[in-house]
Amino acid sequence: MTDQSTDPTKLARRFGTPLYVYDLDRARAARRDLFAWLPEGFEVFYAFKANPHVDLVRALRTGEGPTCRAEISSTGELAAALEAGYRGHDILYTGPGKTPGELSEAVGQGVGTFSAESLSDLQHIGEAALAHRTVVDCLLRINSATASATTSIRMTGAPTQFGIDSETVAGLAPQLRSVPGTRLAGLHLFSQSNARDEDALIGELTHTIAVAAAIQEDLGVELRLLDIGGGFSVPYAQQGGRDAYPKLRDELAAALDVHFPRWREGTPRLAVESGRYLAGDSGTLVTRVTNVKVSRGKKFVIADAGINTFGGMSGLGRLMPVTVHVPTDAETEKASLVGPLCTPGDVLGRQIELPANLRPGDLLAIPNTGAYGPTSSLLMFLGRPAPVEVAVSGGRVVSATRIEHARTPVERGPR
């Protein structure tokens, strides 16, 4: 039974709504499970974009067993990583639009590994390193011309801002190997998100390993680190648990034995990255009903959480419909769950199952909301307060915080 002091609905009465509750013990359990699915020796990068909450990040960095390294793509995420206790050598800095200013700050803070999306991106990283009189390791992100699995977000095989087109690597190899301020450390391939099932995940990751072996030949450089990406799945604002991957360890090991026969000796080091799998099922969003109305025969339940609170993925068609917790013996009815914003787009679910006879003041709990929550939502739209975020662990509240926005004077523009 859930400890009453950390029960999300009890916390909502204490801290108000909208409210996120992050169970750090569940995040640690997800980390333990993910490492268990992988061959021994794999590293795991936590993708901060899923949820950069410092207590959650710190929970994934510390504790028993293997812990996560950090994958970031902004100086804001860098600040969160450093606050959570990461050192520069623990961090992989990624992203297609790194500015000179943020590269300088990252190198200055000791970040030693970057993912380069193009030759020019690699050159920009090298310039920042040279300005700090150092040399940094770089992974070349590859946009493979081919893919294996079908997924809701495909990040390779088409023209994209992400990665170097695989068919161009051989011709670029001399230039890629000789950028001042950089060392080619390996490859970064991330082709999908949220694989539909274990076979799809295995198919994509083993295909990625084969592509990486071919790229190694094209480069003429032995890889020291190979990041094969992710795709590990957990429901997003839906009932259900994280996916299991009992076949993954053996299938990856077999593919690596073929393409990288020295991998068991640590050449190359292997890594995956994950955000939603590690954070997703740690979170519960609690929202309060503010009004109930009927319009032309359709019922609308209006809540104080909308796409400003939980809407970051709605533009990708991945949000609707959410589900809410309904006691097993409760009567339900179909209604649309909408937020408080003055826009018809503020919809969390159309004609979904909700408890019958809801009234203003009633609480609704949306599961699996630990990933892609406040920081990927329309947080400042219409100036409503950000939700409170409460982290819990071991039956106690670790922290209760809210993101605050303030307009401050700027002496110079962004770099």
Side-chain angles (χ1 to χ4, degrees), residues 227-241:
D227 179 349
I228 62 174
F232 308 99
S233 183
V234 66
Y236 184 56
Q238 298 283 320
Q239 304 287 349

Side-chain angles (χ1 to χ4, degrees), residues 93-318:
Y93 202 113
T94 70
K98 311 176 193 73
T99 67
E102 67 185 87
L103 284 171
S104 178
E105 182 172 345
V107 175
Q109 291 286 359
V111 176
T113 308
F114 293 81
S115 174
E117 307 274 358
S118 61
L119 174 59
S120 54
D121 189 30
L122 185 65
Q123 292 166 339
H124 297 157
I125 296 167
E127 289 166 3
L130 290 176
H132 285 269
R133 299 182 180 180
T134 189
V135 177
V136 297
D137 285 334
C138 289
L139 308 182
L140 301 181
R141 182 160 179 175
I142 302 300
N143 175 20
S144 175
T146 59
S148 171
T150 300
T151 181
S152 51
I153 294 185
R154 162 64 53 199
M155 301 182 74
T156 58
T160 174
Q161 69 267 43
F162 297 108
I164 302 168
D165 295 342
S166 58
E167 65 273 21
T168 69
V169 171
L172 290 172
Q175 294 168 275
L176 294 168
R177 291 194 301 259
S178 59
V179 174
T182 70
R183 285 183 299 263
L184 284 192
L187 300 177
H188 177 200
L189 296 96
F190 191 98
S191 58
Q192 64 171 341
S193 178
N194 203 33
R196 68 177 184 272
D197 54 36
E198 184 179 24
D199 289 339
L201 180 70
I202 290 171
E204 191 66 34
L205 294 182
T206 54
H207 176 76
T208 292
I209 290 167
V211 170
I215 296 295
Q216 178 177 244
E217 291 295 318
D218 289 341
L219 282 173
V221 173
E222 185 173 60
L223 305 183
R224 291 186 284 119
L225 175 61
L226 172 58
D227 179 349
I228 62 174
F232 308 99
S233 183
V234 66
Y236 184 56
Q238 298 283 320
Q239 304 287 349
R242 287 179 281 105
D243 282 4
Y245 301 104
K247 299 184 293 184
L248 182 62
R249 173 185 285 252
D250 290 343
E251 294 285 352
L252 288 184
L256 288 165
D257 284 339
V258 171
H259 296 289
F260 294 94
R262 296 176 55 206
W263 75 275
R264 296 178 190 271
E265 304 166 19
T267 305
R269 292 166 31 227
L270 281 307
V272 297
E273 57 193 81
S274 178
R276 74 172 65 238
Y277 191 85
L278 293 166
D281 80 341
S282 72
T284 301
L285 170 60
V286 184
T287 182
R288 190 180 304 274
V289 176
T290 61
N291 198 12
V292 180
K293 62 167 288 187
V294 175
S295 175
R296 292 178 176 152
K298 299 290 186 181
K299 180 171 282 191
F300 291 82
V301 174
I302 303 166
D304 60 3
I307 56 175
N308 61 318
T309 303
F310 186 69
M313 304 298 277
S314 60
L316 299 173
R318 308 192 65 187

